[in-house]
Amino acid sequence: MIMGLDTRNVDISRWYDLTTTNALSIKFYANGRIDVKFKESAAVESCFKRLRLSEIKLRDEN
């Protein structure tokens, strides 16, 4: 859950606190980018692997 988030009026200038165990906060950007702060690097690695981010390919990388 994202604390204080109004999906109709997202403030792209601030970090929103999360209620999850490993991720601390999230920030949204106008271009669609999302940043997440984690408690420790092991949590970052676990999330990266579970989301399978290493498998994402750009359209021109077929």
Side-chain angles (χ1 to χ4, degrees), residues 1-38:
M1 185 164 146
I2 304 172
M3 305 299 293
L5 178 66
D6 177 359
T7 58
R8 292 168 285 165
N9 187 23
V10 177
D11 182 354
I12 59 171
S13 68
R14 67 172 276 210
W15 284 90
Y16 290 93
D17 292 333
L18 297 171
T19 60
T20 60
T21 304
N22 293 319
L24 300 173
S25 54
I26 190 167
K27 184 172 182 181
F28 301 95
Y29 294 85
N31 66 359
R33 175 178 149 181
I34 299 171
D35 285 355
V36 179
K37 288 183 184 177
F38 289 89

Side-chain angles (χ1 to χ4, degrees), residues 35-52:
D35 285 355
V36 179
K37 288 183 184 177
F38 289 89
K39 288 183 180 181
E40 55 190 38
S41 61
V44 175
E45 183 178 2
S46 174
C47 182
F48 186 86
K49 287 179 180 177
R50 282 198 303 184
L51 291 174
R52 301 167 74 174

